Amino acid sequence: QVQLVESGGGLVQPGGSLRLSCAASGRTFTIYAMGWFRQAPGKKRELVALNNVGGGTTYADSVKGRFTISRDIPKNTVSLQMNSLKPEDTAVYYCYVRGIAEFWGQGTQVTVSS
């Protein structure tokens, strides 16, 4: 099992920035991918950014150039720096880990509104 603890999130005005962080514990030696998904009201959960062991990173087209994922493999943490936030970025953001199984954080609300 892998446990995930998220931090960050909150309310921000359009154009603002937020940083999400996630720390993994437990059977972390099995992890080969860490990242973030999000789910807006009435929509399916979607990939935001994912980092694989070896450095490969995938971003959703909607966040490219605005969001940056960073991962500290020895510390088993992953962060998401979100800049130039838009109202359509409003969602619950979930930390995600893939190893021998998939694990999810509890989710943190990000609201972009003036």
Side-chain angles (χ1 to χ4, degrees), residues 4-63:
L4 302 174
V5 177
E6 301 163 350
S7 59
L11 173 64
V12 65
Q13 292 186 343
S17 298
L18 282 174
R19 185 176 181 86
L20 306 180
S21 296
C22 176
S25 61
R27 297 175 63 88
T28 56
F29 62 90
T30 66
I31 296 173
Y32 59 85
M34 295 184 77
W36 296 89
F37 282 69
R38 69 186 180 186
Q39 187 166 18
K43 295 188 177 182
K44 294 181 179 179
R45 191 173 296 189
E46 63 175 2
L47 171 70
V48 177
L50 187 68
N51 176 269
N52 292 296
V53 169
T57 299
T58 301
Y59 290 97
D61 287 343
S62 60
V63 307

Side-chain angles (χ1 to χ4, degrees), residues 42-112:
K43 295 188 177 182
K44 294 181 179 179
R45 191 173 296 189
E46 63 175 2
L47 171 70
V48 177
L50 187 68
N51 176 269
N52 292 296
V53 169
T57 299
T58 301
Y59 290 97
D61 287 343
S62 60
V63 307
K64 285 180 180 177
R66 300 188 299 122
F67 290 11
T68 302
I69 188 171
S70 57
R71 179 179 174 185
D72 188 323
I73 294 176
K75 294 183 178 180
N76 296 303
T77 61
V78 64
S79 298
L80 185 69
Q81 178 66 41
M82 305 184 292
N83 298 328
S84 302
L85 282 160
K86 304 175 181 181
E88 51 264 43
D89 294 317
T90 295
V92 177
Y93 285 69
Y94 296 90
C95 181
Y96 167 84
V97 159
R98 184 189 303 157
I100 57 174
E102 295 181 329
F103 300 94
W104 297 89
Q106 77 280 8
T108 185
Q109 177 70 45
V110 171
T111 302
V112 184

